[in-house]
Amino acid sequence: MPAPLRLAIIDDHRMLLAALSEWVRSSAEDVEVVAAVASWQDLLAHPGFPVDVALLDLDLRDGLPVAVKLRALHTAGVAVVVMSTYSEPAIVRDALASGALGYLLKSEDAGTIVEAVRTAAAGGSFLSPRLTAALEASTASALVLSDQERRVMALYGSGRSVKQVASALHVSSETVRSHLKRIRDKHRRAGIDVSSKMALRARALSEGLLADD
């Protein structure tokens, strides 16, 4: 038999912490809850740390940014699934961008929690099913570009300079820069990095604004 996955649960709501621990223990023989702690400091001091996977409450109310915790756990070789009551797409994307392999709503059932733990242990990503549609809708909304923004993205992505784009569209260079800023802001809100010209070109290709050479 393979060794069980070693899991830590970190949540400052002690009743929920106890319930989560019991749900996991009763639902998965291949997952061992080796630590169930109420604070970040307790996790780091626990004799069972580091573990294979951590279920981490997004907001432990300790003043330490979750991105810092995620980096520390990544350095220790721990896969992380974030838990939260927050379902806003921007918050979910920030957690995933900071290194979380999964994001769960705290209202999920035990089966979904265990599935997320197993997926993270295998290096995969997992998202609460109820969040998927909201993220997709948010992405589609954030990525609605105006016709002029699409023209600017295509021309700039083709390799032209700001000045050359401005000349082609009969606008000022400042107007082109404003369009580029809005284009990048919209993609950033959708969780897509087009901060460099190369990344913007790649995205223009994927959006069908450019033909691949």
Side-chain angles (χ1 to χ4, degrees), residues 2 5 9 12 18 21 27 32 35 37 52 73 83 102 116 126 158 161 163 172 175 186 194 196 200 213:
L5 300 177
I9 305 175
D12 59 355
S21 302
S27 301
E32 178 187 3
V37 296
D52 298 316
L73 290 170
M83 302 180 298
F126 188 95
S158 70
S161 67
K163 185 176 181 179
S172 69
T175 296
K186 287 180 179 181
V194 292
S196 70
L200 189 143
D213 295 335

Side-chain angles (χ1 to χ4, degrees), residues 6-211:
R6 301 175 68 253
L7 174 68
I9 305 175
I10 310 96
D11 196 301
D12 59 355
H13 293 83
R14 295 185 181 275
M15 289 183 64
L16 181 57
L17 180 63
L20 281 170
S21 302
E22 184 56 35
W23 290 346
V24 173
R25 289 189 176 104
S26 63
S27 301
E29 294 182 355
D30 60 328
V31 179
E32 178 187 3
V33 180
V34 299
V37 296
S39 74
W40 175 249
Q41 291 76 16
D42 288 345
L43 173 67
L44 299 183
H46 196 281
F49 184 82
V51 292
D52 298 316
V53 182
L55 276 175
L56 176 66
D57 183 3
L58 181 69
D59 185 11
L60 291 174
R61 294 178 291 185
D62 54 11
L64 188 63
V66 69
V68 172
K69 297 169 185 171
L70 289 169
R71 284 196 296 270
L73 290 170
H74 178 75
T75 299
V78 180
V80 185
V81 176
V82 166
M83 302 180 298
S84 180
T85 57
Y86 301 121
S87 60
E88 291 83 350
I91 294 176
V92 177
R93 289 195 184 95
D94 283 347
L96 298 177
S98 295
L101 288 180
Y103 194 107
L104 290 174
L105 296 176
K106 288 189 176 182
S107 55
E108 297 292 352
D109 59 34
T112 301
I113 294 170
V114 170
E115 182 183 357
V117 169
R118 289 172 177 151
T119 301
S125 58
F126 188 95
L127 191 64
S128 278
R130 283 175 287 173
L131 293 175
T132 302
L135 283 180
E136 289 175 350
S138 173
T139 297
S141 175
L143 278 180
V144 175
L145 301 179
S146 70
D147 290 342
Q148 189 74 330
E149 287 167 350
R150 291 169 65 84
R151 294 186 192 100
V152 168
M153 188 170 177
L155 290 169
Y156 190 69
S158 70
R160 301 191 193 192
S161 67
V162 168
K163 185 176 181 179
Q164 289 170 330
V165 174
S167 177
L169 296 178
H170 306 291
V171 297
S172 69
S173 294
E174 188 58 36
T175 296
V176 172
R177 291 190 185 94
S178 295
H179 283 308
L180 287 171
K181 182 179 186 302
R182 285 196 295 272
I183 289 166
R184 289 183 167 122
D185 286 345
K186 287 180 179 181
H187 281 82
R188 178 181 51 78
R189 290 196 297 270
I192 301 168
D193 180 15
V194 292
S195 57
S196 70
K197 191 167 186 175
M198 184 177 296
L200 189 143
R201 172 181 168 76
R203 187 64 195 177
L205 285 167
S206 72
E207 293 182 14
L209 302 179
L210 284 175

